[in-house]
Every structure is written in structure tokens, then in C-alpha cells.
Amino acid sequence: MNADRLPPVAPEVTATLVEGLSPRLRKRLDAAVTKLVARPVRRDGDTTTIEVDDETELRLHAPGGVVAQVEDVTCGCLLAPACVHRAAAACAAPTADLAPEPAEQPTPEATGPASATDPTPVAASASATHPASVTDPATAMVPASATYRAPGTDSAPGPGPASAPGLTPAPAPAPPETATPDQRAAADALWAAGAAVLEAGVDGAGAVAQSALLRAAHTARLRHLPRAAGAALSVVTLLRAARASDPSYRTAELVTALAELLGTARRVATATGAELAAVRGRVRRPYSHDGSLRLYGLFTEPVVTDSGHGGVRTWVAGADGRLFTVGDVAPGGVGRALGVADRAVRLGDSALTHRELGRAGLAVSGATVSPDGRLGAGKSVKAVTARGAAWTEPPLAALWETPPAEQAARALRSTSRYADPDGTGSDLLFLDVELLGAVRESGGTSLLALSEGGVPVRLTAADDDPALAHRDNLALLAAAPGTRLRIIGRLIPAAHPRLTLLACSHPTGEGTIDLGLDRLRRADLPDPAAPAHFAPPQPAGPGAQSPLYLLERRVEQTVPAGRAALGLLGDVTAETRRIRRGGLPTAAGLLTALCAWAAQRERDHFGRLLPADTDGFAAYWLAAARYSAAVSESLCSAAWNPTGEVQGVSGGPPAAAARPAV
């Protein structure tokens, strides 16, 4: 049986079923999940039946497509409803998406300053012999107490000077909104559940640990913390993929999800005002009315996901340069992606297909737009076909006038792993380049091009699926060195300028090419008989030799095997010495502190091991993960700048990007 054939189960249902098991059955839960996944399954309407054995059946009732109540999971065995089968089925099934937030919102009276006893400080009172007491001053930013300012410490504004006769004193400004006690408690539960996963690693984070995350996510949703709740669900999904040996699983994705969960949970207690709103997040981003829009097509890209979905996304630009998308993605894979490209766009009364819209225009009235630029297709939206514009004509030509370094900095702000999701910005870059030829890399071959300012850029295929045109088009372009093209690519954060190539002007200068859908022919090249040309070796960029990877690999190494993976490393002096020589003393201090915390296990008077300090280890791991991401983004920004300067990836000066708040 494939677990994907089971209906999604609400997080609170899974958590309740697991919590209802006896300690003895909890120990058997992971084995029960593995056994149940191999059993036959059949579906009849809203009911899915699993054959537990030859005489016992388990049913999941999913009205509306989701198992929303504990009573919807029934088992016919003699131990039901206290059997392990019900919990195993819920753990094997996909986790349902977050439900909409409850209607009621916290009242102003319910909000107040955070408690003076912050549960998260870890190393504020570390002694001189404690592993957290790193002598390197560069590591002073690691403990949470050093990076967070406890709310409520600022003195309240006192009475002003005596008012002049006849003048009414202005009212004192209202204090900024802070998290409620219930929200702080929910955030603490998320932190504890995330720290427990980090302690145990993927191998030890079975169904019981996942259930704790699901319960914490459900509570956080009820307390109006959908961003942290969503991060917890992402961690659970990735844990299940890792434990099931899903080929699409990537450890780096779990590192990002876990750091997002821990970082968001930590910030709830101290965030105020606009920052608190960003930390809370929202379940669904609403579409807002944007009046009338004059849109110009840019290109269409195929979309194929690891989950088996396929479709296309067409990019258009407004008269003011804003970017919008019109998408059509559903289950179907690469075959659907190729077919949908020639279907009519779902927007108003337009008869344009996605391919045609990528080169034509639209006049839209009653437009609705999501914060990330997706155009809505509601009944009130009206759209008619209009004239498009060439990439060299206004208003599209302005997209290529911004310097590449500024475009890269903007794209990095949009793709930053831990940035507050404001839904704005795009990861697309618009460049004028000269092709240099193919270049061999460890992961294959890419196309080297020279962009404005003399910055060499590596262009890679967006998808290697042979049914799509990306790979073949890239190989043909490699046989046309010296060709000048206007291109659109998606930024790949790396220590050297790198893009996935999505669209380009035709080599003959007439029209444009959607590189995932349109296939170039050799006759389209300036010299059809020319073989593939390999560009000469290029000098390494400013971040190519950075020893940051020594810290990054220890951060990743923790996730599969937990704290024990780092606790057995022993002396890391050689690694920290190399990192310091590379000009990253903070990274060296973080690695030293992280490994010291991992190896520390205290004993009682009888020599028995005491429970590990999961909070302290999680705090240092989070600091290392966030620091590594910020420095990587800074190195990427510097690589795009001919002068090697950082453009302020995080919206502030480079120093702010290199020292993230945990």
C-alpha cells in the first residue's frame, strides 16, 4: 500500500490517537506503521479501508476529503478503540493542511508585555568551565540572551514638561502589541518539540516525536500562530519522507524547516508590532483588489513537482514593471505540463493559451492579486486580449536596465531561507549576456555566459527531464559562443553567479524562446555546423574558497543522527583553525560551542547520566544554521557585484546580514 492513497488526517486527530496509547503500545507504534503501510487498501466514496489482517479491517472516514475527527478512524480488532492500529493509520497518512484560523482574535486587553521569566535563555549564566563559555568574543552573539532584548525592559514614557496654559497635552503613544501568554506558551511547546527532534535526529524521531509536533502545531494554530504551525507540519512531512527513504527527500530542506520552526518559536516572546505580525503569519494569503491592469507577456515555464503535480506558470509584467503570474498546476506530472501549455488561460474571457499569453498582452479589469503576485480568476475578473510588447520595447525593456548586482540582491531577499514572508519580490533576473560556451562541473555541464560588468554567470537547465526542452536547448546554445542574448533566469544562491535559464531571445534576434517548452533547432544557430564549445576555466569567485562549508556540514550532520553525531567528533581544532584563517571567526566559535554542547553530558552523584540540555544544544544549532545561511547569502551577493561588495541581502548593511538574530 502507498501511504499517499490514504486520505489526509488532521494534525490534532493524529496527536490525540497517539497520546491515547499506553506506554507499551507507543514503543510498538513505529513498527505498526511500517507493517500497516504494506497492507492492501481500497476506497469506497469517502471511506478508505485497510486490511489489517485476514479478519480485521480499519476504516478512515473522510467527509470532504479530510479525516477531521478521532471518531472517523475505526478498527475492528478486539482491542479497539485502544488499539495501536488507529494511531498507526493516522501516522501513515498524509497530514492535512492547516484549517482556517478561528474567527475570534485576541483582544487588546489580552495582550501585554512578555513575562519577565523568559523560558528560552540558555547560556546567560554559564560559568567559566561551562562549554557555552567560549572565550572567542566573536561568539558572543550565540546565546539567545545576547541576541534578544527582553520586551518590557524599556522604561515607560514619563510625564512630559508642564503644559502651557490653555494647551492640552498630547496623549502618550500606545505601547506596541506583544504576544499573549497563550501564544508564548504555544511557542514554548513548539520549541520543545523541535528541540526534541533535533536531539534525536531523523532516526530517533518516530511517530511519537512527530505526534508531539502535530499537537504543538494544532495548539499554535488555535493561538493564531500559523507561521510556526506551518513550519512544524513541514518538519513532520520531511521527517516522514526521510524515514520512508523517499528519493525526493533532501537533508538541506529539513535543516531549513527545522531552523524556521525553532527561530519562529523563539521570536514569538520578544516580537512586537509589525515584527509580531510577521512572526505570527497567516494561514492563507488573501487576494486583494487591484483595479484595472495592463499586462504584457514575458514567458511561460513548465512546472513539475516531486509530488507528481504538473502544469505551467506564465509570467506577465504590468505597465509599472510589477511581475504577475497566471498558473495552472494539478496532479499529472510532466505530461500534463506539456498539455496545459496549449490550453486557454483561466482569466476572464480571454481565449489566449499560456504559450500565447507569454508573447501577447491582456487588459484586465476587476483584477485580484495575491501578495506573491498570482492573479485571481474570480467571476468578477474581466480580461480581454491586447497587444503585447517585445523585450526591447517599453515597458518590458526597463526590466533589463537594472544592474545585475541590484537584481541579485533583490532576488536574494525574496529567496532568503529565513526572511519574514511578505510575499513581495521575485527571484527572476533579467540579463543581457554573451555566451562563452559549456563548462564542466561536478554535477554535470552548464553554460557559461558573460553578463554586464564582466561578471561570468553559469546557466543551468531548470529541469533535466528529457520530455522537456531545457537540457537540449542548453546544449545547442553551448555551440554558439559569441552569441549575444537577452535572457530571463531564476537565481540559484551559490558562491558564484548562477541561474536556471528559463527564457531567452531567439539567437536570430526574432522573437523569444520558452526554453522548457520550445525546442531550438541547429538551423537556428549562427553557425549550424559548430560543435559544442567549452569555455576556458574561469577564476574562482570571492566565496569559492570559503571554509564556511565546514560549519554547514556539521549543522546538516546533526539532523539525520541527532546530537550524538556531533558528540562523537572529538577535537575540532583543525577545522576551527582553518575557518579562522578564512576570515570567519564567528563561524569558528559557533562550531566550537556546538560540538562542546553536543559532547556535554553531566552525571549525578551515583554516576548516572542526567537528562541532556536540549534547549542549550538547540539554541547553538539554530545560531549556526542561521549564521551559515546569512553568510552564504552575503557571499552570493558579493559574487554578483564586480567590486565584490555585499549589497545588503537582509535589507540592511552587510554586517546585519552576517550577524543574524537567532
Side-chain angles (χ1 to χ4, degrees):
M1 179 189 76
N2 190 333
D4 291 338
R5 296 177 60 190
L6 297 178
V9 178
E12 61 271 24
V13 172
T14 303
T16 301
L17 289 173
V18 174
E19 291 165 358
L21 295 177
S22 65
R24 180 180 63 86
L25 291 180
R26 289 191 186 187
K27 294 179 181 179
R28 297 170 49 189
L29 181 56
D30 289 326
V33 172
T34 303
K35 182 178 179 180
L36 200 65
V37 167
R39 300 299 301 170
V41 61
R42 66 179 184 274
R43 178 170 294 185
D44 183 12
D46 292 336
T47 301
T48 301
T49 303
I50 305 172
E51 296 182 9
V52 178
D53 53 42
D54 295 339
E55 300 178 353
T56 306
E57 291 184 341
L58 185 147
R59 293 183 175 86
L60 293 88
H61 184 55
V66 175
V67 179
Q69 298 181 8
V70 174
E71 295 76 14
D72 292 336
V73 184
T74 59
C75 183
C77 73
L78 296 177
L79 296 178
C83 63
V84 73
H85 304 132
R86 299 170 70 216
C91 292
T95 301
D97 292 334
L98 288 173
E101 294 184 35
E104 67 273 13
Q105 294 291 338
T107 60
E109 290 80 3
T111 60
S115 170
T117 57
D118 184 359
T120 54
V122 176
S125 58
S127 64
T129 58
H130 199 284
S133 301
V134 184
T135 56
D136 187 345
T139 61
M141 49 79 67
V142 178
S145 58
T147 58
Y148 279 97
R149 186 184 72 254
T153 56
D154 295 337
S155 58
S163 301
L167 295 179
T168 303
E177 182 185 10
T178 60
T180 68
D182 284 346
Q183 289 177 330
R184 292 196 294 272
D188 290 344
L190 285 168
W191 171 273
V197 169
L198 190 63
E199 177 76 18
V202 170
D203 296 339
V208 175
Q210 295 168 24
S211 171
L213 272 173
L214 293 176
R215 172 61 68 192
H218 175 61
T219 303
R221 182 189 66 83
L222 295 179
R223 300 293 182 264
H224 310 286
L225 298 174
R227 177 179 175 182
L233 295 188
S234 297
V235 171
V236 172
T237 300
L238 290 168
L239 283 173
R240 291 178 176 178
R243 294 174 63 85
S245 300
D246 189 328
S248 64
Y249 166 76
R250 299 292 183 271
T251 300
E253 294 180 2
L254 183 52
V255 169
T256 299
L258 196 53
E260 167 69 8
L261 168 62
L262 294 172
T264 304
R266 174 60 63 89
R267 291 174 61 192
V268 168
T270 58
T272 60
E275 181 188 0
L276 178 60
V279 171
R280 284 174 175 164
R282 62 176 71 218
V283 176
R284 291 180 176 87
R285 296 182 176 182
Y287 282 74
S288 60
H289 292 280
D290 209 335
S292 298
L293 294 173
R294 181 65 169 90
L295 304 175
Y296 300 85
L298 281 167
F299 71 100
T300 299
E301 63 171 322
V303 177
V304 182
T305 68
D306 293 332
S307 60
H309 288 66
V312 295
R313 181 189 299 115
T314 299
W315 289 81
V316 296
D320 57 357
R322 285 188 298 162
L323 299 182
F324 304 92
T325 60
V326 182
D328 185 350
V329 180
V334 67
R336 187 179 188 278
L338 294 173
V340 169
D342 293 314
R343 294 183 188 176
V345 174
R346 299 175 182 175
L347 194 65
D349 300 325
S350 172
L352 291 173
T353 66
H354 281 274
R355 285 181 190 262
E356 293 169 342
L357 177 57
R359 297 171 175 84
L362 279 179
V364 183
S365 62
T368 57
V369 184
S370 72
D372 58 358
R374 289 175 295 171
L375 292 169
K379 295 181 179 180
S380 62
V381 178
K382 307 296 181 184
V384 295
T385 304
R387 177 186 176 277
W391 288 2
T392 55
E393 299 174 351
L396 299 185
L399 297 172
W400 279 265
E401 294 175 359
T402 303
E406 293 184 21
Q407 294 191 52
R410 178 203 62 208
L412 278 171
R413 289 192 294 270
S414 174
T415 61
S416 178
R417 281 175 272 180
Y418 307 114
D420 290 338
D422 58 4
T424 60
S426 165
D427 57 357
L428 299 184
L429 270 70
F430 304 84
L431 304 177
D432 289 307
V433 301
E434 178 185 348
L435 302 183
L436 300 180
V439 59
R440 292 188 177 91
E441 299 181 309
S442 57
T445 302
S446 62
L447 176 61
L448 191 66
L450 199 63
S451 72
E452 182 182 336
V455 177
V457 182
R458 287 173 171 83
L459 307 175
T460 64
D463 196 310
D464 286 331
D465 194 308
L468 300 176
H470 292 292
R471 188 174 59 183
D472 294 340
N473 286 336
L474 205 69
L476 279 177
L477 291 175
T483 302
R484 294 184 177 274
L485 296 177
R486 180 158 279 195
I487 68 170
I488 302 176
R490 177 168 288 117
L491 178 72
I492 300 177
H496 52 265
R498 193 176 189 88
L499 300 176
T500 54
L501 189 57
L502 302 174
C504 70
S505 57
H506 197 282
T508 63
E510 299 180 0
T512 60
I513 299 294
D514 296 336
L515 290 167
L517 300 172
D518 305 326
R519 290 190 178 273
L520 286 169
R521 298 172 299 175
R522 187 164 290 277
D524 295 323
L525 302 181
D527 183 2
H533 175 76
F534 283 88
Q538 298 295 311
Q545 305 300 323
S546 171
L548 183 66
Y549 75 93
L550 295 172
L551 177 62
E552 291 175 326
R553 73 176 182 180
R554 298 309 181 192
V555 169
E556 285 200 11
Q557 188 177 10
T558 307
V559 172
R563 176 207 286 257
L566 293 186
L568 299 176
L569 284 180
D571 189 14
V572 292
T573 302
E575 293 183 17
T576 57
R577 185 183 300 115
R578 182 177 175 184
I579 293 174
R580 291 181 191 279
R581 286 201 303 266
L584 297 172
T586 301
L590 282 170
L591 179 59
T592 300
L594 183 63
C595 294
W597 271 95
Q600 183 205 15
R601 287 298 301 271
E602 297 181 356
R603 298 178 180 271
D604 61 14
H605 296 296
F606 299 98
R608 296 171 298 191
L609 284 174
L610 295 174
D613 182 358
T614 58
D615 286 348
F617 179 71
Y620 277 95
W621 181 88
L622 175 60
R626 296 291 297 269
Y627 173 86
S628 298
V631 174
S632 295
E633 291 166 4
S634 297
L635 292 174
C636 178
S637 178
W640 279 93
N641 196 320
T643 63
E645 297 178 358
V646 179
Q647 293 292 314
V649 176
S650 300
R659 284 182 173 267
V662 189

